[in-house]
Amino acid sequence: MQLESHQDVAAYLERLAGQGDPQAFIAGLGHVARAKGMTKIAREIGVGRESLYKSLSDHGNPEVDTVLKVVNALGLQIAFVPKQQ
């Protein structure tokens, strides 16, 4: 999957979040962060690079604060919408 634009990244993460699998979403967020530069993102949000790699790995369990900071560093925001019936 191409993750060139903010729209591409947003669609990818939205699809993962919609699947209801937190681990898949976190792993996808890690995939995007690596593609965009994990070191840069870690520096921007004030955490160690290795710590961020672990948090956003397939078996990571990041704090909500970390997820929100990474999303913001990627130039995105989280939005909530009602489920479609």
Side-chain angles (χ1 to χ4, degrees):
M1 163 168 249
Q2 295 286 344
L3 298 175
E4 300 296 322
S5 71
H6 283 97
Q7 290 80 10
D8 293 340
V9 172
Y12 174 65
L13 293 175
E14 184 176 347
R15 189 175 73 248
L16 289 173
Q19 292 175 359
D21 180 353
Q23 287 307 125
F25 175 76
I26 295 303
L29 188 60
H31 176 76
V32 173
R34 283 187 295 281
K36 299 298 182 183
M38 189 72 81
T39 300
K40 177 181 170 251
I41 291 170
R43 192 176 307 126
E44 185 175 331
I45 70 171
V47 299
R49 182 180 61 85
E50 288 299 319
S51 174
L52 191 56
Y53 268 111
K54 286 181 186 176
S55 291
L56 300 179
S57 71
D58 290 343
H59 301 291
N61 190 21
E63 297 285 329
V64 171
D65 182 59
T66 300
V67 171
L68 294 175
K69 285 179 179 180
V70 170
V71 168
N72 186 57
L74 292 171
L76 301 172
Q77 64 184 17
I78 294 176
F80 295 92
V81 296
K83 278 185 166 182
Q84 294 183 1
Q85 299 295 328

